[in-house]
């Protein structure tokens, strides 16, 4: 929770695939008790595939009322607790390049976003909180894993919390076409990726903590203490929040029989082609699209009254040159770059 004496905002991140709009609405209602307007509450998900189902809803799984009630209580309690512990802070922001743990999941040579952005909410004597923003699917573990896990964002946060003594919020970026790389799809690889991301974040946080007091060295020749400039910058907090409802028209889909026939023909073609050949890769790309559209078309036909999907976009300005944009769903890295 951040407060600049004029406005108050709350940033929440969940180790979930997504969060149902009804859950978000209930959390925003409760946040009003802490003096936070609805547009100032961002409830994000790390898009974690190893979290519990039943909280995203929509075409994926029915909203589980019991889980939803617990989630609302937990998040509302966390917001109230944070709002009750406000103390003087500075906002310091920096970034670091991490290009070793992610790959475009549609083509290895296509773009990723290798920049991790780090926000340090620094107190008078110790960090109050850290916020990480890095674009990558939380899918080191495969679909065969049935254990609940915070995945690599959880491992990175745990490392930062242990080392700084402050909670860490992880916000995923435009990761719709970016996957993590792994040695094996197991918990050792989860920890390895988390350590790389968390370790780099620790370096940035260590540098950001020098902003303000400065860092110096003893020059024995001059008997002086010249300052060594540090990367990053201090942001003067100027909070503002805005939220917009938008309607996204649904695509017009073909008949199920057409998709089934196309998929069968492409599947038969793919098995005759050499593994890794351009022709097989093209056939598999077309097959993936046919199967994905068939799946979405089935969902659309189950609710014929819907011609559009109502959703929202939300933005927080934290200070000059520092803003957070919250988008619904999985946006590609190219879209994130275009927005920036």
């Amino acid at each position: 929770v951040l407060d600049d004496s004029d406005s108050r905002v709350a940033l929440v991140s969940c180790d979930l695939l997504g969060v149902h709009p009804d859950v978000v609405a209930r959390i925003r209602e409760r946040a009003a008790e802490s003096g936070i307007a609805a547009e100032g509450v961002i409830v994000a998900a790390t898009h974690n595939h190893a979290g519990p189902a039943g909280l995203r809803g929509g075409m994926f799984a029915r909203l589980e009322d019991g889980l939803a009630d617990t989630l609302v209580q937990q998040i509302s309690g966390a917001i109230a607790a944070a709002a009750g512990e406000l103390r003087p802070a500075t906002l310091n922001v920096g970034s670091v390049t991490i290009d070793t743990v992610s790959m475009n999941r549609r083509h290895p040579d296509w773009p990723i976003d290798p920049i991790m952005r780090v926000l340090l909410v620094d107190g008078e004597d110790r960090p109050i909180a850290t916020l990480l923003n890095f674009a990558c699917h939380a899918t080191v573990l495969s679909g065969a894993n049935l254990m609940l896990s915070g995945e690599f964002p959880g491992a990175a946060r745990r490392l930062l919390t242990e080392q700084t003594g402050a909670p860490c919020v992880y916000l995923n970026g435009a990761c719709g076409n970016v996957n993590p790389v792994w040695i094996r799809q197991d918990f050792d690889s989860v920890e390895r990726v988390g350590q790389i991301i968390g370790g780099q974040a620790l370096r940035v946080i260590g540098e950001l903590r020098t902003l303000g007091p400065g860092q110096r060295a003893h020059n024995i020749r001059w008997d002086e203490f010249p300052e060594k400039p540090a990367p990053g910058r201090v942001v003067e907090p100027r909070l503002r929040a805005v939220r917009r409802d938008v309607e996204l028209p649904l695509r017009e889909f073909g008949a199920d029989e057409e998709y089934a026939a196309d998929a069968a023909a492409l599947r038969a073609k793919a098995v005759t082609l050499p593994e890794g050949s351009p022709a097989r890769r093209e056939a598999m790309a077309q097959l993936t699209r046919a199967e994905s559209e068939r799946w979405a078309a089935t969902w659309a036909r189950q609710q014929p009254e819907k011609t559009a999907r109502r959703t929202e976009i939300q933005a927080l300005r934290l200070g000059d040159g520092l803003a957070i944009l919250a988008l619904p769903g999985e946006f590609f890295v190219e879209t994130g770059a275009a927005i920036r």
Side-chain angles (χ1 to χ4, degrees):
V1 171
L2 301 174
D3 188 310
D4 67 353
S5 77
D6 292 320
S7 300
R8 184 175 288 188
V9 300
L11 285 159
V12 178
S13 181
C14 306
D15 288 314
L16 297 170
L17 190 68
V19 183
H20 195 282
D22 291 350
V23 172
V24 177
R26 291 167 60 189
I27 292 167
R28 286 172 174 163
E29 288 178 5
R30 295 274 295 271
E33 301 170 8
S34 299
I36 308 173
E39 62 269 19
V41 180
I42 285 183
V43 182
T46 63
H47 198 61
N48 171 27
H49 284 227
L55 289 164
R56 184 179 189 183
M59 67 178 76
F60 299 94
R62 186 178 66 83
L63 181 64
E64 296 285 348
D65 293 338
L67 280 176
D69 291 345
T70 300
L71 186 63
V72 171
Q73 292 171 6
Q74 294 282 350
I75 293 177
S76 299
I79 291 175
E85 297 179 2
L86 291 171
R87 50 199 185 275
T90 60
L91 298 183
N92 302 342
V93 64
S95 62
V96 64
T97 298
I98 306 176
D99 57 8
T100 58
V101 297
S102 59
M103 179 185 290
N104 192 295
R105 65 181 189 172
R106 294 180 170 238
H107 193 293
D109 297 333
W110 290 358
I112 59 171
D113 182 0
I115 306 300
M116 179 170 64
R117 296 156 184 89
V118 180
L119 175 67
L120 169 64
V121 184
D122 205 10
E124 295 174 332
D125 56 351
R126 61 183 177 84
I128 296 174
T130 59
L131 185 148
L132 308 183
N133 172 225
F134 185 67
C136 185
H137 261 79
T139 51
V140 170
L141 299 171
S142 74
N145 168 62
L146 299 180
M147 300 290 288
L148 292 176
S149 170
E151 259 277 351
F152 72 79
R157 288 199 320 269
R158 187 168 60 251
L159 176 61
L160 261 65
T161 300
E162 290 171 353
Q163 294 297 314
T164 66
C168 174
V169 174
Y170 185 102
L171 298 178
N172 218 327
C175 68
N177 54 346
V178 181
N179 265 356
V181 296
W182 34 264
I183 300 170
R184 288 171 297 277
Q185 291 191 273
D186 58 15
F187 286 97
D188 285 343
S189 283
V190 166
E191 293 297 318
R192 184 187 69 86
V193 175
Q195 287 168 6
I196 291 171
I197 292 173
Q200 290 280 29
L202 274 176
R203 193 199 94 190
V204 175
I205 290 166
E207 292 168 342
L208 291 178
R209 294 219 69 205
T210 68
L211 298 174
Q215 55 183 352
R216 301 178 182 278
H218 185 192
N219 184 301
I220 61 173
R221 185 181 182 198
W222 299 342
D223 194 23
E224 294 179 1
F225 298 89
E227 184 173 351
K228 171 80 170 181
R233 62 191 179 93
V234 180
V235 176
E236 183 68 26
R238 293 178 57 213
L239 305 180
R240 189 175 178 195
V242 65
R243 184 178 66 87
R244 294 285 183 268
D245 289 327
V246 295
E247 281 200 350
L248 305 178
L250 293 180
R251 177 184 299 181
E252 290 190 11
F253 295 103
D256 187 70
E257 298 77 16
E258 296 175 8
Y259 289 121
D262 288 345
L266 289 164
R267 197 176 293 109
K269 179 181 179 181
V271 298
T272 67
L273 299 170
E275 188 82 20
S277 67
R280 184 182 185 279
R281 286 177 173 174
E282 179 59 28
M284 289 302 300
Q286 294 179 29
L287 174 60
T288 300
R289 177 165 187 157
E291 291 179 333
S292 297
E293 287 199 13
R294 184 185 186 189
W295 170 71
T298 300
W299 171 83
R301 274 192 295 274
Q302 292 172 354
Q303 38 206 342
E305 75 284 357
K306 286 192 175 183
T307 59
R309 188 74 183 265
R310 189 170 182 82
T311 185
E312 69 173 34
I313 56 174
Q314 186 179 8
L316 299 183
R317 182 186 69 185
L318 303 184
D320 289 339
L322 178 59
I324 294 173
L325 179 68
L327 300 174
E330 300 179 59
F331 285 78
F332 280 16
V333 64
E334 293 90 339
T335 303
I339 291 170
R340 279 193 297 277

